Amino acid sequence: MSRRTARPRQRASAAASPAACPCGLPEPYEGCCGRYHAGTGGAGAPTAEALMRSRYSAFVKGDSGYLLRTWHPATRPERLDLDPGMRWTGLEILATADGSAFHTTGTVEFRASYRGGALHERSRFERVAGAWVYVDGEFPA
């Protein structure tokens, strides 16, 4: 059974505390997405939304290694060249469907803002060997 949840608009912004996580949650980066990036504790993101947030933070931090590690093997590119001039300015989670500890697939719809524009995507996630990974996304009209 699919559960689709409309969420209050949570948005990370440039006005957030420098220690705050780029994903928009109030925790410091090290205790939020930073622990997934560093592999601390051996646990990956527990939900599709947590993985989405950590991948956004990896884009902000320029961590292409994490992005590749959390990409589905069937759709992962061989390499990822991030634009060092790209300035991400905020993340807004618009909706989620499934993606909890009780699911094997999930969808997260989000808007990621950058200087000069925004990316609106509906991303698909799956569990591979127990870990959430990004599969692909579509760009809603």
Side-chain angles (χ1 to χ4, degrees):
M1 176 172 177
S2 178
R3 187 178 130 231
R4 188 153 183 91
T5 306
R7 301 255 173 162
R9 297 185 183 246
Q10 299 172 341
R11 183 177 171 96
S13 72
S17 159
C21 192
C23 80
L25 295 178
E27 292 86 9
Y29 168 74
E30 293 77 17
C32 193
C33 296
R35 65 189 164 141
Y36 303 131
H37 297 172
T40 315
T47 65
E49 180 181 338
L51 181 63
M52 171 55 237
R53 288 180 175 280
S54 71
R55 286 177 57 83
Y56 170 81
S57 292
F59 275 103
V60 171
K61 299 286 188 177
D63 188 346
S64 60
Y66 179 79
L67 293 165
L68 289 169
R69 285 192 307 277
T70 58
W71 209 311
H72 195 287
T75 58
R76 176 177 48 226
E78 284 189 34
R79 57 184 261 202
L80 186 60
D81 297 319
L82 300 178
D83 179 356
M86 177 66 96
R87 295 292 174 250
W88 295 98
T89 59
L91 175 66
E92 196 175 359
I93 302 296
L94 303 174
T96 62
D98 299 335
S100 77
F102 303 105
H103 299 107
T104 56
T105 63
T107 305
V108 179
E109 184 173 350
F110 67 92
R111 182 175 297 111
S113 300
Y114 55 89
R115 194 177 334 150
L119 169 72
H120 181 189
E121 182 175 318
R122 188 175 302 118
S123 297
R124 291 186 322 122
F125 298 88
E126 289 182 8
R127 283 187 186 265
V128 171
W132 284 107
V133 293
Y134 170 79
V135 178
D136 60 18
E138 60 183 23
F139 305 101

